[in-house]
């Protein structure tokens, strides 16, 4: 596998082989080997609840532990120390069956103590949708996040061959295909928990 350069990213975008929409400022967003993505205005946070644990087999229960809200224009979402939130990118990313991608935090955010993904930084070939951001503040101070702010970057890699059954294929039962807003965990749909 090889990481795509800015030259290759621009070429594949122009050819429509990969898609990032809207990509409002190619000059600023396309980096030497990645594309900066902006945070959207919808967030999901865990409510304070009185339950001894989260049961991944109960998807409705998991969703009920989180609340969604939209940040009004011009305002910020404040992520506090030790807080976790879900958000999505403003951009919708579409990958072909021969390219994978990874979401990485921008170093400018990391230096504030804010991470943009916990474990789900990998984007399968065939995926289409907004990218979920799993945001954590591991720093000591609250940090303001403004919708439209560049907070992460996506890195593209070519595969040795196209995937036989890419993400989104009907037989794959892809849980997050086409997502448009932050989605709670759909782990209950995992085959090993759905017996």
């Amino acid at each position: 596998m090889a990481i795509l350069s800015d030259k290759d990213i621009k070429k594949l975008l122009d050819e429509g082989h990969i898609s990032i929409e809207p990509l409002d400022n190619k000059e600023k967003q396309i980096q030497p080997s990645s594309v900066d993505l902006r945070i959207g205005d919808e967030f999901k946070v865990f409510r304070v609840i009185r339950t001894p644990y989260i049961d991944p087999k109960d998807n409705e229960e998991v969703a009920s532990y989180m609340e969604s809200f939209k940040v009004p224009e011009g305002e910020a979402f404040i992520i506090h120390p030790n807080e976790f939130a879900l958000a999505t990118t403003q951009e919708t990313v579409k990958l072909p069956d021969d390219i994978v991608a990874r979401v990485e935090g921008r170093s400018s955010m990391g230096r504030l103590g804010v991470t943009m993904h916990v474990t789900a930084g990998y984007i399968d070939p065939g995926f289409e949708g907004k990218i979920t951001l799993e945001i954590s503040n591991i720093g000591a101070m609250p940090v303001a996040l403004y919708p439209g702010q560049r907070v992460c970057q996506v890195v593209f890699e070519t595969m040795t061959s196209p995937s036989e059954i890419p993400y989104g294929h009907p037989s794959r039962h892809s849980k997050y295909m086409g997502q448009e807003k932050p989605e709670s965990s759909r782990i209950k749909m995992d085959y090993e928990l759905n017996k």
Side-chain angles (χ1 to χ4, degrees):
M1 295 202 318
I3 293 175
L4 299 183
S5 69
D6 51 359
K7 178 181 177 182
D8 292 328
I9 291 169
K10 290 173 187 173
K11 179 177 183 271
L12 293 180
L13 284 168
D14 289 344
E15 293 172 351
H17 196 62
I18 59 175
S19 173
I20 302 173
E21 291 294 332
L23 189 56
D24 293 338
N25 193 331
K26 284 186 181 183
E27 292 292 317
K28 298 281 188 197
Q29 287 182 259
I30 296 177
Q31 301 298 320
S33 61
S34 65
V35 178
D36 286 345
L37 300 180
R38 300 164 298 165
I39 195 166
D41 62 359
E42 291 186 62
F43 292 81
K44 269 194 175 191
V45 295
F46 278 103
R47 297 177 183 165
V48 177
I49 53 172
R50 295 184 181 267
T51 187
Y53 60 90
I54 293 174
D55 185 351
K57 286 187 175 184
D58 189 345
N59 205 48
E60 289 179 25
E61 187 176 279
V62 170
S64 74
Y65 293 162
M66 299 193 88
E67 62 181 325
S68 299
F69 62 93
K70 215 171 193 176
V71 175
E73 189 173 338
E75 293 186 22
F77 171 76
I78 309 299
I79 186 151
H80 294 273
N82 300 314
E83 189 174 27
F84 174 80
L86 295 176
T88 60
T89 57
Q90 281 190 346
E91 295 83 4
T92 297
V93 175
K94 184 177 182 180
L95 297 180
D97 60 4
D98 62 347
I99 292 180
V100 298
R102 285 181 288 120
V103 174
E104 300 290 346
R106 291 185 66 225
S107 63
S108 295
M109 297 307 301
R111 293 168 200 226
L112 297 175
V114 178
T115 65
M116 287 298 140
H117 70 85
V118 178
T119 62
Y122 188 80
I123 307 166
D124 281 310
F127 175 83
E128 180 178 356
K130 293 180 186 263
I131 307 301
T132 295
L133 303 175
E134 302 164 326
I135 307 166
S136 293
N137 183 347
I138 59 174
M141 295 289 293
V143 178
L145 300 174
Y146 292 90
Q149 175 184 0
R150 293 177 299 130
V151 294
C152 64
Q153 56 191 325
V154 62
V155 177
F156 300 96
E157 296 182 64
T158 57
M159 296 172 50
T160 55
S161 64
S163 173
E164 287 185 316
I165 306 174
Y167 198 84
H169 187 275
S171 68
R172 182 138 327 264
H173 307 292
S174 305
K175 297 180 284 199
Y176 305 106
M177 186 68 164
Q179 66 187 7
E180 289 292 318
K181 59 185 180 179
E183 298 290 347
S184 300
S185 175
R186 294 179 179 168
I187 195 168
K188 181 184 178 181
M189 296 171 68
D190 285 0
Y191 69 88
E192 70 275 15
L193 297 178
N194 205 6
K195 294 178 184 177

